[in-house]
Amino acid sequence: MTPPSSTALPFLPFARPDIGEAEITAVTEALRSGWVTTGPMAKKFETAFTNYLGGGLHSVAVNSATAGLHLALEALGIGPGDEVIAPTLTFTATVEVVRYLGADAVLVDVDPVTLNMDPAGVRAAISPRTKAIMPVHYGGLACDMDAILAIAHEHGLKVVEDAAHALPTTWRGALVGQLASDVTVFSFYANKTITTGEGGMAVTRDETLAQRMRVMRLHGMNRDAFDRFTSKTPAWYYEVVAPGFKYNMTDVAAAMGVVQLARLPQFVQRRETLAQRYHAALATLPLVLPATAPAGDQHAWHLYVVRLTSEARIGRDDLIQGLADRGIGTSVHYVPLHRHPYWRDRYGLTPGQFPTADAAYLAMVSLPLFTAMSDADQDRVIAALHALLGG
Ligand SMILES: *Cc1c(COP(=O)(O)O)cnc(C)c1O
């Protein structure tokens, strides 16, 4: 084994945004245009996003997916006394927004193969207070949306998809964003499949929900700044119709988003190739490899999460350390919510209530997967895994 040394290869991060000259030019132009806050670029990005998903939708650009999830639940009227069902194996943002509104999150376990929210768990978690379900397409693989939408329909529940990992993901041939849920929210955080630095998009078919989210993303004002400076009604006049938020996306961010979205088809291809290379190269190791999409469907491959089997000769923490010693960054998605003090203590949660998510957490590592990584970068990860886990 080669000991780590200062002459080792450069550190390979777990993720890195793929920003090219086109993004830099677009951002520079936005800066030179004199309009840096929400304006023509944000509108252009929203239109391009709707077109990408196939039309017939309203896209509402916001400054984070967290903001979009908050706006979605607010527009749906979620409030104190309500319950919202979500998986425990997610980022805290999925459910912190439930608490912003004074409602409560009810966490459920995940499926052992897909690591997506288990529909049977959702069904079991429904109470008279339940108002909504928040599926998370873990890693970029679609949840069983037929089952979730059927449960929602049966019980009169709203569905807000946390699609932070799911651009582009399909379920039975339809892109996530086009499904029959109420609102779908995408993230453009730095490590997501496209990035605006920080940003998000809330997508809905419902004009009334879209209108509410547009008003609430900007202080509850019924006119945004761009409209005020371009329309014939006096620029100074607006009306506040609710105590809204400050969640609008800047034109600087949107300029980046327009370029990133145009590059998405190439990004997906590269992610797909990298995922297939991992599958082929890691098949003989004591690892559970991530589930692939059903035939004909697209996995966004935001994450490539492997789980050590009980045959592995080292544990998860040692695997992470071994990779770090070889200059390879990894991550863990996620420390499940039931293990975080806030969620654990508020709801009195124990690992025993979430056996699948908990076992997955203890065995999992997210391997480097980003479009700008080379085959040689990936071969380093593969070789390191074979050195640490191979026979
Ligand atoms: C990244 C992420 C979010 C939050 O996205 P932001 O744009 O950073 O607010 C929410 N949910 C999941 C599952 C995420 O991975």
Side-chain angles (χ1 to χ4, degrees):
M1 247 183 255
T2 322
S5 76
S6 54
T7 57
L9 290 162
F11 181 73
L12 178 69
F14 150 72
R16 187 196 298 138
D18 191 336
I19 309 293
E21 285 307 314
E23 284 85 346
I24 293 166
T25 302
V27 166
T28 307
E29 280 170 7
L31 293 174
R32 290 191 202 284
S33 77
W35 195 276
V36 290
T37 184
T38 309
M41 268 302 154
K43 277 206 162 62
K44 186 174 173 181
F45 186 34
E46 288 176 340
T47 304
F49 204 81
T50 296
N51 291 340
Y52 178 83
L53 291 179
L57 300 163
H58 307 277
S59 296
V60 180
V62 286
N63 59 12
S64 72
T66 308
L69 292 165
H70 185 195
L71 291 177
L73 294 183
E74 196 280 338
L76 288 166
I78 304 298
D82 294 340
E83 289 178 353
V84 176
I85 298 171
T88 186
L89 195 63
T90 186
F91 185 53
T92 193
T94 310
V95 284
E96 71 191 31
V97 298
V98 173
R99 297 290 304 127
Y100 293 177
L101 294 162
D104 279 302
V106 177
L107 301 178
V108 302
D109 207 354
V110 296
D111 177 272
V113 175
T114 63
L115 300 184
N116 274 326
M117 184 161 65
D118 175 18
V122 173
R123 206 175 270 285
I126 291 172
S127 86
R129 291 168 59 196
T130 308
K131 286 293 182 335
I133 308 173
M134 298 180 80
V136 178
H137 306 292
Y138 180 84
L141 177 65
C143 291
D144 182 346
M145 289 304 291
D146 289 359
I148 289 164
L149 290 165
I151 295 167
H153 187 74
E154 205 177 304
H155 294 268
L157 307 176
K158 305 296 184 188
V159 177
V160 174
E161 290 171 74
D162 180 338
H165 301 178
L167 187 67
T169 291
T170 65
W171 170 252
R172 301 209 189 287
L175 280 167
V176 164
Q178 278 287 3
L179 308 178
S181 54
D182 294 280
V183 185
T184 304
V185 182
F186 296 91
S187 173
F188 312 130
Y189 179 68
N191 69 5
K192 299 291 161 57
T193 55
I194 68 170
T195 185
T196 59
E198 300 281 357
M201 194 74 80
V203 171
T204 180
R205 228 174 265 293
D206 185 322
E207 168 71 50
T208 311
L209 288 179
Q211 201 41 46
R212 177 70 181 181
M213 292 193 290
R214 288 204 176 100
V215 166
M216 293 306 280
R217 81 177 157 184
L218 197 70
H219 303 297
M221 285 160 44
N222 61 3
R223 298 176 71 188
D224 67 26
F226 188 62
D227 172 62
R228 284 168 56 206
F229 284 93
T230 52
S231 118
K232 288 196 178 64
T233 3
W236 54 267
Y237 189 73
Y238 61 86
E239 291 172 346
V240 172
V241 296
F245 310 105
K246 188 68 202 291
Y247 283 169
N248 54 305
M249 177 183 276
T250 69
D251 264 24
V252 177
M256 208 171 144
V258 168
V259 177
Q260 288 266 297
L261 187 63
R263 296 178 66 199
L264 183 57
Q266 292 116 273
F267 286 169
V268 186
Q269 244 175 31
R270 181 63 186 152
R271 284 184 181 274
E272 185 69 53
T273 302
L274 290 165
Q276 279 170 19
R277 289 183 93 244
Y278 270 142
H279 280 321
L282 305 179
T284 58
L285 296 179
L287 293 172
V288 179
L289 302 182
T292 54
D297 271 326
Q298 177 69 54
H299 190 313
W301 292 117
H302 164 55
L303 300 176
Y304 193 92
V305 177
V306 298
R307 284 175 276 166
L308 288 167
T309 68
S310 51
E311 281 91 66
R313 64 168 179 255
I314 58 171
R316 188 272 308 272
D317 295 358
D318 289 337
L319 178 60
I320 289 176
Q321 189 56 52
L323 290 168
D325 291 344
R326 289 164 175 77
I328 295 165
T330 55
S331 191
V332 172
H333 295 90
Y334 294 90
V335 176
L337 296 178
H338 64 260
R339 281 183 175 253
H340 287 287
Y342 175 75
W343 300 108
R344 180 193 66 207
D345 297 347
R346 178 166 178 89
Y347 298 121
L349 306 175
T350 61
Q353 294 171 264
F354 309 93
T356 307
D358 208 71
Y361 157 64
L362 294 171
M364 67 170 44
V365 181
S366 301
L367 300 180
L369 179 67
F370 53 96
T371 57
M373 83 190 271
S374 65
D375 288 3
D377 290 334
Q378 189 179 31
D379 291 341
R380 267 178 73 193
V381 181
I382 292 164
L385 287 166
H386 276 270
L388 291 159
L389 299 170

Coordinates of all heavy atoms in Angstrom, one line a residue, residues 273-313:
T273 N -22.6 8.0 -17.5 CA -21.4 7.3 -17.8 C -20.6 6.9 -16.6 O -20.1 5.8 -16.4 CB -20.5 8.1 -18.8 OG1 -21.3 8.3 -20.0 CG2 -19.2 7.3 -19.2
L274 N -20.4 7.9 -15.7 CA -19.6 7.7 -14.5 C -20.3 6.7 -13.6 O -19.7 5.8 -13.0 CB -19.5 9.1 -13.7 CG -18.5 10.1 -14.4 CD1 -18.7 11.5 -13.8 CD2 -17.1 9.7 -14.2
A275 N -21.6 6.8 -13.5 CA -22.4 5.8 -12.7 C -22.2 4.4 -13.2 O -21.9 3.4 -12.5 CB -23.9 6.2 -12.6
Q276 N -22.3 4.2 -14.5 CA -22.1 2.9 -15.1 C -20.7 2.4 -14.9 O -20.5 1.2 -14.7 CB -22.5 3.0 -16.6 CG -24.0 2.9 -16.8 CD -24.4 3.1 -18.2 OE1 -23.6 3.1 -19.2 NE2 -25.7 3.5 -18.4
R277 N -19.7 3.3 -15.0 CA -18.3 2.9 -14.7 C -18.1 2.4 -13.3 O -17.5 1.4 -13.0 CB -17.3 4.0 -15.0 CG -17.2 4.3 -16.5 CD -16.1 5.4 -16.8 NE -14.8 4.9 -17.1 CZ -13.7 5.0 -16.3 NH1 -13.8 5.7 -15.2 NH2 -12.6 4.5 -16.6
Y278 N -18.7 3.1 -12.4 CA -18.7 2.6 -11.0 C -19.3 1.3 -10.8 O -18.8 0.4 -10.2 CB -19.4 3.6 -10.0 CG -18.6 4.7 -9.4 CD1 -19.1 6.0 -9.3 CD2 -17.2 4.5 -9.0 CE1 -18.3 7.0 -8.7 CE2 -16.5 5.5 -8.5 CZ -17.0 6.8 -8.3 OH -16.3 7.8 -7.8
H279 N -20.5 1.1 -11.4 CA -21.2 -0.2 -11.3 C -20.3 -1.3 -11.8 O -20.2 -2.3 -11.1 CB -22.5 -0.2 -12.2 CG -23.7 0.5 -11.7 ND1 -24.0 0.5 -10.4 CD2 -24.6 1.3 -12.3 CE1 -25.1 1.2 -10.2 NE2 -25.5 1.7 -11.3
A280 N -19.7 -1.1 -13.0 CA -18.9 -2.2 -13.5 C -17.7 -2.5 -12.7 O -17.4 -3.7 -12.5 CB -18.5 -1.8 -15.0
A281 N -17.1 -1.4 -12.2 CA -15.8 -1.6 -11.5 C -15.9 -2.1 -10.1 O -15.0 -2.6 -9.5 CB -15.0 -0.3 -11.6
L282 N -17.1 -1.8 -9.5 CA -17.2 -2.1 -8.0 C -18.0 -3.4 -7.7 O -18.2 -3.8 -6.6 CB -17.9 -0.9 -7.3 CG -17.2 0.4 -7.5 CD1 -18.0 1.5 -6.8 CD2 -15.7 0.4 -7.0
A283 N -18.5 -4.0 -8.8 CA -19.4 -5.2 -8.7 C -18.9 -6.3 -7.8 O -19.7 -7.0 -7.1 CB -19.8 -5.7 -10.0
T284 N -17.6 -6.5 -7.8 CA -17.0 -7.6 -7.1 C -16.7 -7.3 -5.6 O -16.3 -8.2 -4.8 CB -15.7 -8.1 -7.7 OG1 -14.8 -7.0 -7.7 CG2 -16.0 -8.6 -9.1
L285 N -16.9 -6.1 -5.2 CA -16.5 -5.7 -3.8 C -17.7 -5.9 -2.9 O -18.8 -6.0 -3.3 CB -16.1 -4.2 -3.8 CG -14.8 -3.9 -4.6 CD1 -14.5 -2.4 -4.6 CD2 -13.6 -4.7 -4.1
P286 N -17.4 -6.0 -1.6 CA -18.5 -6.2 -0.6 C -19.3 -4.9 -0.4 O -19.3 -4.3 0.7 CB -17.7 -6.6 0.7 CG -16.4 -6.0 0.5 CD -16.1 -6.0 -0.9
L287 N -20.0 -4.5 -1.4 CA -20.7 -3.2 -1.4 C -22.1 -3.5 -2.0 O -22.2 -4.2 -3.0 CB -20.0 -2.2 -2.3 CG -18.7 -1.6 -1.8 CD1 -18.1 -0.7 -3.0 CD2 -18.8 -0.8 -0.5
V288 N -23.1 -2.8 -1.4 CA -24.4 -2.7 -2.1 C -24.3 -1.5 -2.9 O -24.1 -0.4 -2.4 CB -25.6 -2.6 -1.0 CG1 -26.9 -2.4 -1.7 CG2 -25.5 -3.7 -0.1
L289 N -24.5 -1.7 -4.2 CA -24.4 -0.5 -5.2 C -25.8 0.1 -5.3 O -26.8 -0.5 -5.0 CB -23.9 -1.0 -6.5 CG -22.5 -1.7 -6.5 CD1 -22.1 -2.1 -7.9 CD2 -21.5 -0.8 -5.9
P290 N -25.8 1.4 -5.6 CA -27.1 2.1 -5.6 C -28.0 1.5 -6.7 O -27.6 1.0 -7.7 CB -26.7 3.6 -6.0 CG -25.4 3.5 -6.6 CD -24.7 2.3 -6.0
A291 N -29.3 1.5 -6.4 CA -30.3 1.0 -7.3 C -30.3 1.9 -8.6 O -30.1 3.1 -8.5 CB -31.7 1.1 -6.6
T292 N -30.5 1.2 -9.7 CA -30.6 2.0 -10.9 C -32.1 2.2 -11.2 O -33.0 1.6 -10.6 CB -30.0 1.1 -12.1 OG1 -30.6 -0.1 -12.1 CG2 -28.5 1.0 -11.9
A293 N -32.4 3.1 -12.2 CA -33.8 3.4 -12.5 C -34.4 2.2 -13.3 O -33.7 1.5 -13.9 CB -33.8 4.7 -13.4
P294 N -35.7 2.1 -13.2 CA -36.4 1.1 -14.0 C -36.1 1.3 -15.5 O -35.8 2.4 -15.9 CB -37.9 1.3 -13.7 CG -37.9 2.1 -12.5 CD -36.7 2.9 -12.4
A295 N -36.1 0.2 -16.3 CA -35.8 0.3 -17.7 C -36.7 1.5 -18.3 O -37.9 1.6 -18.1 CB -36.2 -1.0 -18.4
G296 N -36.0 2.3 -19.1 CA -36.6 3.4 -19.8 C -36.7 4.7 -19.0 O -37.1 5.7 -19.5
D297 N -36.4 4.6 -17.7 CA -36.4 5.8 -16.9 C -35.0 6.4 -16.6 O -34.0 5.6 -16.7 CB -37.1 5.6 -15.5 CG -38.6 5.8 -15.7 OD1 -39.0 6.8 -16.4 OD2 -39.4 5.1 -15.0
Q298 N -34.9 7.6 -16.3 CA -33.7 8.3 -16.1 C -33.4 8.6 -14.6 O -34.3 9.0 -13.9 CB -33.8 9.7 -16.8 CG -32.5 10.6 -16.6 CD -31.3 10.1 -17.3 OE1 -31.4 9.8 -18.5 NE2 -30.2 9.9 -16.5
H299 N -32.2 8.2 -14.1 CA -31.7 8.5 -12.8 C -30.9 9.7 -12.9 O -30.0 9.7 -13.9 CB -30.9 7.3 -12.3 CG -30.5 7.3 -10.9 ND1 -30.0 8.3 -10.2 CD2 -30.5 6.3 -10.0 CE1 -29.7 8.0 -9.0 NE2 -30.0 6.8 -8.8
A300 N -31.1 10.7 -12.1 CA -30.3 12.0 -12.3 C -28.8 11.8 -11.8 O -28.0 12.6 -12.1 CB -30.9 13.1 -11.6
W301 N -28.6 10.7 -11.0 CA -27.2 10.5 -10.5 C -26.6 11.7 -9.9 O -25.5 12.1 -10.1 CB -26.3 9.9 -11.6 CG -26.7 8.5 -12.0 CD1 -27.1 8.1 -13.2 CD2 -26.7 7.3 -11.1 NE1 -27.4 6.8 -13.2 CE2 -27.2 6.3 -11.9 CE3 -26.5 7.1 -9.8 CZ2 -27.4 5.0 -11.4 CZ3 -26.6 5.8 -9.3 CH2 -27.1 4.8 -10.1
H302 N -27.4 12.4 -9.0 CA -26.8 13.5 -8.2 C -25.8 12.8 -7.2 O -24.8 13.4 -7.0 CB -27.9 14.2 -7.4 CG -27.4 15.0 -6.3 ND1 -26.5 16.0 -6.5 CD2 -27.8 15.0 -5.0 CE1 -26.2 16.6 -5.3 NE2 -27.0 16.0 -4.4
L303 N -26.2 11.7 -6.7 CA -25.3 11.0 -5.7 C -25.1 9.5 -6.2 O -25.9 8.9 -6.8 CB -26.0 10.9 -4.4 CG -26.3 12.2 -3.6 CD1 -27.1 11.9 -2.3 CD2 -25.1 13.0 -3.4
Y304 N -23.9 9.0 -5.8 CA -23.6 7.6 -6.0 C -23.3 7.1 -4.6 O -22.2 7.3 -4.1 CB -22.5 7.4 -7.0 CG -22.3 5.9 -7.4 CD1 -23.0 5.5 -8.6 CD2 -21.6 5.0 -6.7 CE1 -22.9 4.2 -9.0 CE2 -21.5 3.7 -7.0 CZ -22.2 3.3 -8.2 OH -22.1 1.9 -8.6
V305 N -24.3 6.5 -4.0 CA -24.1 6.0 -2.6 C -23.9 4.5 -2.5 O -24.8 3.8 -3.0 CB -25.4 6.4 -1.8 CG1 -25.3 5.9 -0.3 CG2 -25.6 7.9 -1.8
V306 N -22.8 4.1 -2.0 CA -22.6 2.7 -1.8 C -22.7 2.3 -0.3 O -22.5 3.2 0.6 CB -21.2 2.2 -2.3 CG1 -21.0 2.5 -3.8 CG2 -20.1 2.9 -1.5
R307 N -23.1 1.1 0.0 CA -23.2 0.6 1.4 C -22.3 -0.6 1.6 O -22.4 -1.5 0.8 CB -24.7 0.3 1.7 CG -25.6 1.5 1.9 CD -27.0 1.1 2.0 NE -27.7 0.9 0.8 CZ -28.9 0.2 0.6 NH1 -29.5 -0.3 1.7 NH2 -29.4 0.1 -0.6
L308 N -21.5 -0.6 2.6 CA -20.7 -1.8 2.9 C -21.6 -2.9 3.4 O -22.6 -2.7 4.1 CB -19.8 -1.4 4.1 CG -18.6 -0.5 3.8 CD1 -18.0 0.0 5.1 CD2 -17.6 -1.2 2.9
T309 N -21.3 -4.1 2.9 CA -22.0 -5.3 3.4 C -21.3 -5.8 4.6 O -20.2 -5.4 5.0 CB -22.0 -6.4 2.3 OG1 -20.7 -6.9 2.2 CG2 -22.6 -5.9 1.0
S310 N -22.0 -6.8 5.3 CA -21.4 -7.3 6.5 C -20.1 -8.1 6.3 O -19.3 -8.3 7.2 CB -22.4 -8.2 7.3 OG -22.9 -9.1 6.4
E311 N -19.8 -8.4 5.0 CA -18.6 -9.1 4.7 C -17.4 -8.2 4.6 O -16.2 -8.7 4.5 CB -18.7 -9.9 3.3 CG -19.5 -11.2 3.3 CD -20.9 -11.0 3.1 OE1 -21.3 -10.6 1.9 OE2 -21.8 -11.2 4.0
A312 N -17.6 -6.9 4.5 CA -16.5 -6.0 4.3 C -15.5 -6.1 5.5 O -16.0 -6.3 6.7 CB -17.0 -4.6 4.2
R313 N -14.2 -6.0 5.3 CA -13.2 -6.2 6.4 C -13.0 -4.9 7.2 O -12.3 -4.9 8.2 CB -11.9 -6.8 5.9 CG -11.2 -5.9 4.9 CD -9.8 -6.4 4.6 NE -9.1 -5.5 3.7 CZ -8.9 -5.8 2.4 NH1 -9.3 -7.0 1.9 NH2 -8.2 -5.0 1.7

